[in-house]
Amino acid sequence: WLWPQPMIISHLVPITQNEAWFLVTDNGFQIPLKMEPKEAWKLLAISGGAPLTFFGEWHAEKLHPLSCWQKELIWIEGNQTA
């Protein structure tokens, strides 16, 4: 396979554990994130703890988010807000 692979995934909440970042599903499954902590903190703040839909690049073991939305686009990597 060629990496990274595009991925869209929904109903996930960003969290931090032991200085690592994850997206968590409703049943507690964690998807590791590949992103700078500054951007991850923005995601957490923007989400307000509510589930989001993410578009990003899957790097075999981690997701590198490029954008996310709830009812509308609310975050793009490198921007304050969408």
Side-chain angles (χ1 to χ4, degrees):
W1 293 95
L2 297 176
W3 301 104
Q5 296 287 316
M7 177 183 270
I8 294 178
I9 191 163
S10 60
H11 305 299
L12 299 161
V13 178
I15 65 161
T16 182
Q17 283 184 335
N18 302 321
E19 299 183 26
W21 287 90
F22 301 89
L23 297 176
V24 179
T25 65
D26 292 340
N27 64 2
F29 181 77
Q30 296 182 348
I31 298 170
L33 291 179
K34 179 181 179 180
M35 63 188 311
E36 295 295 320
K38 181 179 177 182
E39 292 293 312
W41 281 111
K42 286 181 192 177
L43 273 182
L44 182 59
I46 289 169
S47 76
L52 301 170
T53 298
F54 289 85
F55 171 75
E57 298 173 331
W58 180 249
H59 289 262
E61 296 179 4
K62 293 184 177 184
L63 179 67
H64 176 200
L66 299 174
S67 63
C68 71
W69 59 94
Q70 285 171 327
K71 294 180 182 177
E72 59 186 46
L73 185 65
I74 59 173
W75 176 83
I76 300 173
E77 181 184 33
N79 290 337
Q80 293 290 344
T81 56

